[in-house]
Amino acid sequence: MRTWLMRPGAAFGAALLLLQVIAIVFAGLLAPYSPTTADPLHTLMPPSASHLLGTDVYGMDILSRIIYATRINLLVSITAVAGAFAIGVPLGLIIGFYSGIPSAIVMRLFDFIQSFPVFVLGMALVSVLGQEIWNVALVLAILFVPVFARLVRAEVLSLRQRPFISAARCSGATDRSIMFRHILPNAMTPALVQLSISVGMAILLTAGLSFIGAGVRMPTPEWGLMVSSGAQQLILGVWWVSLFPGIAIVLAVLCFALLGDELRILLDPRRRHR
């Protein structure tokens, strides 16, 4: 693990993740102002000593909102992906191990979910459930369940025909024992790698839904919502309102993309020395 963390990609990704964890845990200490208190006397102020990243159209401090938005964006994304992982992995194991009509129905349901454009389906679900933070997490979890289930199912279809599975059957192992003791541990690598990548994708989707008005609502500090509110002032030369939250999104997604790629190398010995 120490050698893995010395790799440039892993080290940079871990450093970015550490910064985000610090922002989540110590947001109240790091933020110089309240993230939701408007100040009409200091609207659209450029970066200065009093407001390091400037203020938005409501006079709210952008740095404070970015710090608090880290908590919302990451917790929503991680919760959604963790829920999708917890549902998708066992589901993929079952439909991969047992073929038949029920498995075919589940796969067609996945096809139905994934046939919709992500933002269209996300907007539809949020409009039904309501624009609340945890409803956004629920929507993201629904979108990611097919991803994990398909990955695990593909691995199970390959593993269940292997000689060691036949040997386990001959020794009297039950289907449950074969599934959870022999197949699942060997089918987890793609799902674990996808776990990190999906968090980055969930951050983008959370920000994207808020940007188009289908995510959280003002004055909740959220990166996509901040970019959206600042986009209207770009034509006036007010660049800081959108730029800094956009950079925060880029760094957060880059963090999990790097960690996902490095995790793939860590879990695949054939690629460690490439």
Side-chain angles (χ1 to χ4, degrees):
M1 179 62 71
R2 183 178 178 180
T3 303
W4 179 75
L5 286 174
M6 292 178 64
R7 296 174 58 87
F12 187 58
L16 290 177
L17 180 60
L18 179 61
L19 289 177
Q20 294 175 78
V21 172
I22 291 174
I24 291 172
V25 177
F26 300 105
L29 298 176
L30 297 175
Y33 299 94
S34 167
T36 57
T37 301
D39 185 358
L41 300 179
H42 297 87
T43 61
L44 298 179
M45 289 182 59
S48 62
S50 57
H51 296 278
L52 295 180
L53 301 184
T55 63
D56 62 12
V57 68
Y58 303 103
M60 292 184 285
D61 183 68
I62 293 176
L63 175 60
S64 300
R65 287 179 62 78
I66 288 176
I67 292 173
Y68 273 92
T70 306
R71 177 181 297 177
I72 291 176
N73 282 75
L74 259 69
L75 290 182
V76 168
S77 301
I78 292 174
T79 300
V81 173
F85 183 86
I87 297 172
V89 169
L91 189 57
L93 176 64
I94 293 171
I95 63 177
F97 191 82
Y98 296 108
S99 58
I101 295 178
S103 297
I105 293 175
V106 173
M107 292 303 298
R108 298 296 75 79
L109 177 61
F110 289 163
D111 292 338
F112 178 76
I113 293 175
Q114 295 184 306
S115 65
F116 285 91
V118 172
F119 282 114
V120 173
L121 182 59
M123 289 176 61
L125 292 174
V126 170
S127 64
V128 172
L129 298 173
Q131 288 182 258
E132 300 296 336
I133 293 175
W134 298 114
N135 287 342
V136 175
L138 177 60
V139 168
L140 294 178
I142 293 173
L143 295 175
F144 281 108
V145 165
V147 176
F148 290 106
R150 287 183 181 277
L151 282 173
V152 174
R153 177 180 178 271
E155 290 294 310
V156 172
L157 289 175
S158 173
L159 290 169
R160 70 179 187 179
Q161 305 298 331
R162 299 286 179 87
F164 72 93
I165 299 299
S166 299
R169 288 189 185 279
C170 293
S171 66
T174 62
D175 286 352
R176 181 177 178 180
S177 176
I178 292 173
M179 290 168 60
F180 290 97
R181 294 185 58 186
H182 300 282
I183 293 181
L184 184 59
N186 292 285
M188 287 293 290
T189 298
L192 290 174
V193 173
Q194 185 64 36
L195 191 65
S196 177
I197 297 172
S198 293
V199 173
M201 295 174 60
I203 291 172
L204 281 178
L205 289 174
T206 302
L209 288 172
S210 297
F211 182 86
I212 62 179
V216 299
R217 294 172 291 186
M218 289 291 288
T220 304
E222 197 280 325
W223 292 331
L225 189 60
M226 295 174 67
V227 173
S228 177
S229 65
Q232 302 172 8
Q233 282 80 43
L234 280 175
I235 193 173
L236 303 176
V238 182
W239 49 269
W240 56 89
V241 180
S242 291
L243 176 63
F244 294 119
I247 292 175
I249 294 173
V250 170
L251 293 178
V253 175
L254 177 62
C255 162
F256 289 100
L258 289 174
L259 291 178
D261 190 57
E262 295 296 332
L263 184 61
R264 181 185 297 112
I265 295 173
L266 178 66
L267 296 176
D268 186 357
R270 295 172 299 178
R271 302 184 56 178
R272 289 179 184 174
H273 303 292
R274 291 186 182 182

